[in-house]
Amino acid sequence: MWLEHGIAHLAQSFLLPVLALVALAFAYAVWVGGGTLMEAWQRWRNPRHTSLDASADHTLEDIELAIVRQLEPVRLLSRLSPMLGLIATMIPLGPALQSVAAGEGQQALSVFSGAFAGVVLALASASVGLVVYSVRRRWLLAELLQVRRARGVAA
């Protein structure tokens, strides 16, 4: 019995940090989404726009690693945000169900409203992250192909 209560209290202590991470993920998603829109506008105005530093002193492996480093944060955003949203929903589920069982439905609703807001923001963050990851990956791989062709390396 004490183990269950201890685990329940430990889980409850994660709610605020998880909601803070969801808020940070959403802010980051808005920021990278805006940056991607700005880059799309720059690419539309100047089709030769490039994001890669493909100078002669960089090997193809260095360039590929730079691409991975550039894409990794938005890839993590798109994969971790739904998990954070699920955690933000599951943590208050136990107390909310206890409130319902005790006949305090209004209290359960107030608990769930914050949890559902967290999952909505987390899913929105993941969606933006996936779109940004896909678009930037396509741009960077196209640029890498141009570098390979310019250097006479087979793709």
Side-chain angles (χ1 to χ4, degrees):
M1 189 73 158
W2 62 270
L3 182 62
E4 290 175 10
H5 288 292
I7 290 174
H9 287 298
L10 181 63
Q12 288 296 317
S13 69
F14 283 114
L15 184 58
L16 286 179
V18 167
L19 289 176
L21 287 173
V22 166
L24 286 172
F26 185 74
Y28 181 68
V30 169
W31 183 63
V32 297
T36 301
L37 288 174
M38 181 60 88
E39 186 174 351
W41 182 73
Q42 290 171 344
R43 287 174 179 274
W44 179 74
R45 293 200 33 137
N46 178 12
R48 293 183 175 218
H49 176 83
T50 182
S51 300
L52 292 178
D53 180 15
S55 57
D57 57 332
H58 290 110
T59 66
L60 286 175
E61 290 81 12
D62 291 337
I63 296 169
E64 289 171 1
L65 184 60
I67 289 172
V68 170
R69 282 186 182 144
Q70 187 174 351
L71 292 174
E72 194 65 23
V74 290
R75 181 177 169 272
L76 287 173
L77 174 70
S78 68
R79 292 190 178 216
L80 291 177
S81 293
M83 289 182 236
L84 291 173
L86 180 61
I87 293 169
T89 303
M90 296 305 292
I91 290 173
L93 184 61
L97 289 176
Q98 287 175 344
S99 296
V100 169
E104 300 169 355
Q106 194 64 31
Q107 184 179 355
L109 286 175
S110 68
V111 168
F112 267 128
S113 64
F116 285 136
V119 78
V120 167
L121 287 182
L123 292 174
S125 303
S127 300
V128 170
L130 182 60
V131 169
V132 167
Y133 173 77
S134 299
V135 168
R136 285 195 172 167
R137 182 174 182 266
R138 182 174 29 93
W139 288 341
L140 292 169
L141 290 177
E143 291 178 27
L144 179 62
L145 183 60
Q146 290 175 351
V147 170
R148 286 179 183 263
R149 287 180 179 157
R151 293 186 182 184
V153 178

